[in-house]
Amino acid sequence: MMARLSIRIDLDPQGRIGPGKIDLLEWIGRTGSISAAGRAMKMSYRRAWELVDSMGQVFGQPVVVSQTGGRHGGGARLTPFGEQLIARYRMIERVAAQAAAPHLDALQDEMRARDAADTAPLGADATP
Amino acid sequence: MMARLSIRIDLDPQGRIGPGKIDLLEWIGRTGSISAAGRAMKMSYRRAWELVDSMGQVFGQPVVVSQTGGRHGGGARLTPFGEQLIARYRMIERVAAQAAAPHLDALQDEMRARDAADTAPLGADATP
DNA sequence: GAACGTTATATCCAATGAAGCATAACGAGC
DNA sequence: GCTCGTTATGCTTCATTGGATATAACGTTC
């Protein structure tokens, strides 16, 4: 039983960013196109575009700049802020995982330890 | 613009546990009943029960023991494992947040810094 | 200037999730 | 023994989400 950490960042009004959006950004950076990134992640262009757009709205600034028409029909690139966002997220992910590692291990030990052993029936009353 | 960390733990085959399920467990511990916990969280009993059940399945052992009938109609209590699970999750949440804090701050600075400033149009080509 | 692949957007539809409602079993308290 | 609140479960909507498809605009390349 493996246990990994999954991190997301909650922004104040309403907006989250988690591993999915960050992966998408990385794919856009790698492929130079939203649609190619979508294909790589087996995600519809529509969804990929919506995710990109929602990030731009949440952060109040675009995470990618795009171009219609052109060499291969157009394309998209990460903005400097988009790249920073990826870097920050990965950094946070890394340090959080490091800090949590021993506790995750302990949790797994506890899971194995009690394996359906003690589940005392409830005797006294709880707070009603 | 506030940024908080939100943590969830991914278990190997398929199973996640995040803030929602942990909150629910805490409410069950506090109130001594699944339905009361559901009400407190404005969640249907159905859903609360399903979440509890899914946790039991994911971990291969119950996180709460329940009793039908009785003093106030029945009730539910956390198993020792359930309590340990809460404690571990909160611990992980705490150390992860501590480790991530400076980077979250940095991210917020970066968000403010670039506020729609530089979004250079794409000139060269990307990896096609 | 025609072709191509992409962005951007609208529309329709399927899948999923969750709420709501209904019901049975249960057991302490009155 | 009747009531009451809870567990446990089924079933029936209802809303949200995401996929699929269609279309227009666009600009390099041929």
Side-chain angles (χ1 to χ4, degrees), chain B residues 8-124:
Chain B
R8 44 201 77 193
I9 300 169
D10 292 0
L11 284 316
D12 72 294
Q14 46 189 4
R16 321 196 142 170
I17 187 158
K21 295 203 187 103
I22 295 294
D23 281 355
L24 177 61
L25 284 187
E26 284 178 340
W27 272 107
I28 291 172
R30 238 176 269 146
T31 61
S33 118
I34 296 176
S35 65
R39 282 194 299 272
M41 296 179 69
K42 295 186 200 303
M43 170 192 308
S44 66
Y45 170 80
R46 180 80 206 276
R47 174 150 176 70
W49 183 87
E50 280 178 351
L51 291 176
V52 168
D53 186 60
S54 74
M55 281 188 274
Q57 289 183 3
V58 164
F59 290 109
Q61 62 193 298
V63 288
V64 316
V65 279
S66 56
Q67 191 184 45
T68 77
R71 229 159 69 76
H72 297 319
R77 312 204 87 173
L78 297 173
T79 62
F81 174 68
E83 301 200 14
Q84 269 188 333
L85 180 59
I86 295 174
R88 281 294 170 199
Y89 177 86
R90 292 300 182 201
M91 179 78 78
I92 288 169
E93 199 175 37
R94 181 147 39 89
V95 299
Q98 271 181 352
H103 300 286
L104 280 178
D105 290 346
L107 176 60
Q108 292 182 71
D109 287 345
E110 287 160 9
M111 286 168 52
R112 274 185 237 100
R114 310 199 165 266
D115 235 338
D118 48 358
T119 52
L122 72 143

Side-chain angles (χ1 to χ4, degrees), chain A residues 102-126:
Chain A
H103 300 286
L104 280 178
D105 290 347
L107 175 60
Q108 292 182 70
D109 287 346
E110 289 160 6
M111 287 171 50
R112 276 185 233 101
R114 308 199 165 264
D115 235 338
D118 51 354
T119 53
L122 73 144
D125 59 345

Side-chain angles (χ1 to χ4, degrees), chain A residues 57-115:
Chain A
Q57 289 184 3
V58 164
F59 291 108
Q61 60 193 296
V63 289
V64 316
V65 278
S66 55
Q67 190 183 45
T68 77
R71 228 162 66 81
H72 298 319
R77 314 203 86 172
L78 298 173
T79 61
F81 173 69
E83 300 199 14
Q84 269 187 332
L85 179 59
I86 296 174
R88 281 293 169 201
Y89 177 87
R90 292 302 183 198
M91 179 77 79
I92 288 169
E93 197 175 38
R94 181 147 40 88
V95 299
Q98 271 181 351
H103 300 286
L104 280 178
D105 290 347
L107 175 60
Q108 292 182 70
D109 287 346
E110 289 160 6
M111 287 171 50
R112 276 185 233 101
R114 308 199 165 264
D115 235 338

